[in-house]
Amino acid sequence: MMRGASEHARPPGPGRSRRGWARGAILLAVGAGLAPAACGPAAEPGLRPRAHVQFDQGAHLGELLVQGDFLYVANSNDALATLRLHDAVGLTVTQREPATFFARCTTLAAHAPSRTIYCGADEGELLAYSVEDPARPALRKPITAEQLPVRDLHVDGDTLLLARFEDGLWQAPIEPDGDIDEDAMRPTPLAANVHHVDGAGPTLAALALERGLVPLIHDAVARSELTVGPALALDGPLINLRVRGSMALVALGSAGASIAELRPGGAPIERARLRPPGVVTSVDLRGDRAAVITLSGVYLYDLRALDLSTGTGEARLAGFVNTGERNTGRPGAALDGQFVGDALVVVDWYRVNLLDTELDGVALELEHPGGVYYRQGDALSIPLRNPGDATLEVRALQDVHELGRARLEPSAPDEPPSQERLELAALPSPTLERVTLEISTVDEFGLSHDVGEQLLVPARAGAGDPPAAGDPLPRFAYADGAGQLQLAPLDGTPTRIMFHATDCAAMWPVLQDLAWLARRPDPPFTPLLVSAPNLDRIGFARRWGLEGVRHGHHDDPSTPASVREHNAVFGAQLYEDGFMNTRLPYGNLHPTEYVTDEQGVIIHVSREYRGAHEFHDGP
């Protein structure tokens, strides 16, 4: 597989749009009032893209490690990518992947004294890379001879901490040259399903699925010995952890982002909960700036009116951007982000984005789906949300012809932004497979802020396209945990069907979030997770906390022949041949998600997972 990236990412020049124009495109123009610029200074977006690097789609980028001017990004499809920050060009790729055998990395940790980066994964050996040349990491040696499943790695002084899922938290001393003796690895007292660990000294903490946020305390005499402090249970899926000073920042999927204070000798106290309308995968804090990364967008919060020592006051949304650029392909799976100075680096599957931040800025972008999939001939409308505090006027144009307009008011304080619909008075030509909606905003002083484009994807009659909203979902078979044949969609209950792979790092927060939503009181839909392998047989359900959530398999050694016989009508591969919607190009790493009503009729089709904040199809 060829892998590549633009070696230099150039920031957009003055007066240039970040996105190109398409011939015959539909323009979605957004305005916040009509006051002239002479009335005062123009409102500026709090998040402004400066530069980006886009790899090819073979790169599966996830966890970010910042070391000075160098950025190391775990690549679950080939070791790690290395980039460098520059004031002039923004970002430069110094190495796409080390020139060694294939390695799977989903987590990274650095030991600065020995110039070593450790690479671990859910499936793979523990590896050590030399960064004597920080621009070009080179494999030093495998630490383990066999696979060592690891969710997270962290270096605390001269100790490597390993979050080993249901095997608990382990530790190993680091030699002066960065080497680690595999036989010296030993468990810590934290015996739980541990997913993350971060911090240093008195502010070291872990995330354990059964417990929540768990402080870890160094022994006063033998510093390498850890004891487990009282935990803070958090409402939400435990997706990521970062510790900044005494504050633990926990990504909680659809439940938002928690900022909790770590206290010596006591349980952590949650001081604030930020609730953007998305699935939070990463959080970072720098002074009064908080960055909240979601699968579908990036949010910047101004914390100057929030006292984190008492939890009083409130945060203000200062900026929002959708992930990716719509006309170049939107990955739609931002998995990590960190501040570097006042700039923000965001990893979005096969893109690395560099954003400037401004605390006095405002959110001027609209949240909208990357693609709307609909049946030709149906009435068409586009779901939109205004996450900011300015009233937005929206128009949809095809060339110079207006097709519709809407007014999006800001939501009430402490309320999530409501979904509005932009009704199109006239549908685009049915001969067009895709129609682009360019979106721009105009602030209260009359200045335009370009924010993206929208695709409309019609399901073509007689072309063999996957079903759309309003169609019945064809019934398929799967085997449950007992090996019995079951049919989907489920009879008499709204169902949220998610086909998924077990080795896709971008799917892990989706599965954790769906499992948490399934356990909420009175869930609106019953989640059904469908995979080729048997999750119970391979231990995946236990590892990711999916016990009790309905799931099934269709291509495992334990799958009954009757399941394959029932699904033969769809082709050799159930999902790829029968249900994968390749005509929705954005969020292309995510399998197609179908939501059906009690009768099995599709009410939503998507490839961009938004959890509890999903857009709704239909009128």
Side-chain angles (χ1 to χ4, degrees):
M1 178 183 294
M2 296 182 62
R3 297 180 175 86
S6 302
E7 291 293 334
H8 299 282
R10 295 177 295 174
R16 291 172 54 194
S17 167
R18 292 189 288 114
R19 297 166 178 86
W21 286 86
R23 181 178 177 85
I26 294 180
L27 171 68
L28 191 59
V30 183
L34 299 174
C39 293
E44 292 293 331
L47 284 171
R48 186 185 296 276
R50 187 199 308 178
H52 74 268
V53 169
Q54 181 150 329
F55 293 72
D56 71 21
Q57 295 186 24
H60 295 176
L61 305 178
E63 186 175 304
L64 171 65
L65 175 66
V66 178
Q67 295 287 290
D69 292 336
F70 287 92
L71 310 176
Y72 303 98
V73 189
N75 182 354
S76 62
N77 213 28
D78 206 347
L80 69 159
T82 307
L83 303 94
R84 188 170 189 177
L85 287 167
H86 298 274
D87 290 337
V89 297
L91 291 170
T92 299
V93 177
T94 62
Q95 183 171 266
R96 298 182 183 93
E97 69 273 336
T100 55
F101 63 88
F102 170 82
R104 177 175 171 85
C105 293
T106 56
T107 180
L108 303 172
H111 183 245
S114 65
R115 299 183 181 181
T116 303
I117 288 179
Y118 302 101
C119 152
D122 61 316
E123 299 174 357
E125 300 83 6
L126 179 64
L127 306 173
Y129 287 86
S130 168
V131 285
E132 291 289 342
D133 178 0
R136 303 186 64 81
L139 180 66
R140 180 175 289 160
K141 62 174 294 187
I143 300 296
T144 58
E146 298 180 351
Q147 288 195 5
L148 181 74
V150 170
R151 179 65 182 99
D152 193 25
L153 296 173
H154 178 64
V155 170
D156 180 33
D158 292 321
T159 299
L160 180 65
L161 297 174
L162 306 92
R164 294 182 55 183
F165 294 106
E166 66 272 22
D167 288 334
L169 182 67
W170 285 55
Q171 62 181 13
I174 300 174
E175 301 295 335
D177 63 355
D179 196 9
I180 291 176
D181 182 356
E182 183 177 3
D183 293 334
M185 292 183 184
R186 59 189 178 89
T188 72
L190 183 53
N193 192 343
V194 182
H195 276 219
H196 294 279
V197 58
D198 199 23
T203 56
L204 188 66
L207 289 182
L209 294 196
E210 302 91 341
R211 303 188 189 183
L213 177 62
V214 183
L216 301 170
I217 305 163
H218 288 286
D219 186 272
V221 178
R223 188 183 182 280
S224 63
E225 298 299 322
L226 294 173
T227 58
V228 178
L232 170 65
L234 291 166
D235 184 23
L238 303 177
I239 289 177
N240 208 343
L241 169 68
R242 180 165 288 120
V243 175
R244 294 294 191 223
S246 62
M247 295 297 170
L249 315 171
V250 186
L252 295 169
S254 290
S258 174
I259 304 178
E261 182 181 1
L262 297 170
R263 303 180 304 148
I269 298 178
E270 186 173 28
R271 295 300 190 187
R273 180 75 67 100
L274 305 176
R275 300 182 185 274
V279 178
V280 179
T281 57
S282 178
V283 193
D284 200 9
L285 187 66
R286 177 178 171 81
D288 292 319
R289 291 169 165 82
V292 179
I293 315 302
T294 75
L295 287 174
S296 53
V298 182
Y299 296 80
L300 175 71
Y301 288 90
D302 174 5
L303 304 185
R304 287 176 292 187
L306 175 63
D307 184 350
L308 287 177
S309 66
T310 62
T312 57
E314 62 182 22
R316 183 187 70 87
L317 182 64
F320 165 71
V321 294
N322 286 290
T323 53
E325 287 188 288
R326 306 286 186 169
N327 62 342
T328 57
R330 174 184 180 183
L335 297 181
D336 204 0
Q338 289 189 46
F339 284 110
V340 182
D342 289 340
L344 180 65
V345 178
V346 177
V347 178
D348 189 11
W349 202 233
Y350 52 83
R351 283 174 65 102
V352 179
N353 303 288
L354 179 63
L355 303 154
D356 289 320
T357 67
E358 173 53 61
L359 271 188
D360 292 322
V362 293
L364 295 174
E365 291 200 13
L366 285 173
E367 190 192 9
H368 57 103
V372 175
Y373 187 64
Y374 68 101
R375 296 188 303 185
Q376 282 186 345
D378 282 359
L380 180 61
S381 62
I382 302 164
L384 303 168
R385 276 195 290 252
N386 174 14
D389 54 10
T391 299
L392 301 179
E393 298 284 349
V394 188
R395 292 191 304 156
L397 306 173
Q398 184 176 32
D399 296 327
V400 297
H401 304 292
E402 181 174 309
L403 300 182
R405 63 170 61 200
R407 182 181 180 90
L408 279 74
E409 302 286 348
S411 299
D414 299 324
E415 293 291 333
S418 60
Q419 175 180 303
E420 305 291 340
R421 301 205 73 89
L422 178 60
E423 306 288 344
L424 298 187
L427 290 177
S429 167
T431 62
L432 296 177
E433 291 190 7
R434 296 173 182 160
V435 178
T436 301
L437 287 171
E438 288 275 340
I439 299 177
S440 63
T441 66
V442 181
D443 65 25
E444 60 182 332
F445 302 107
L447 297 182
S448 175
H449 299 277
D450 176 55
V451 300
E453 65 183 9
Q454 174 77 67
L455 292 189
L456 305 178
V457 184
R460 301 159 298 183
D465 287 340
D471 292 329
L473 184 70
R475 290 177 73 81
F476 65 90
Y478 67 93
D480 62 17
Q484 299 300 308
L485 182 147
Q486 304 291 341
L487 295 178
L490 306 178
D491 290 327
T493 181
T495 310
R496 191 172 193 171
I497 299 170
M498 180 69 72
F499 295 91
H500 70 94
T502 57
D503 62 349
C504 178
M507 285 299 303
W508 296 342
V510 174
L511 299 177
Q512 288 183 271
D513 195 70
L514 275 171
W516 175 74
L517 290 174
R519 298 185 181 104
R520 303 290 290 167
D522 302 319
F525 305 102
T526 297
L528 172 59
L529 309 179
V530 182
S531 59
N534 182 337
L535 302 187
D536 299 308
R537 183 183 64 81
I538 64 176
F540 187 89
R542 180 181 67 258
R543 173 172 293 178
W544 291 98
L546 306 181
E547 301 99 330
V549 180
R550 189 185 294 261
H551 56 273
H553 52 94
H554 61 84
D555 191 14
D556 185 83
S558 64
T559 304
S562 57
V563 170
R564 295 186 175 88
E565 292 168 0
H566 186 282
N567 293 335
V569 64
F570 298 108
Q573 300 294 326
L574 173 64
Y575 170 63
E576 288 83 351
D577 297 332
F579 295 94
M580 184 175 182
N581 192 327
T582 58
R583 301 194 62 239
L584 277 174
Y586 298 137
N588 56 17
L589 69 155
H590 283 154
T592 311
E593 173 189 13
Y594 294 95
V595 180
T596 62
D597 64 14
E598 295 88 340
Q599 287 76 44
V601 175
I602 300 170
I603 57 178
H604 179 72
V605 181
S606 176
R607 299 192 75 181
E608 296 174 288
Y609 179 78
R610 282 182 166 84
H613 311 284
E614 199 69 73
F615 285 119
H616 305 292
D617 293 339

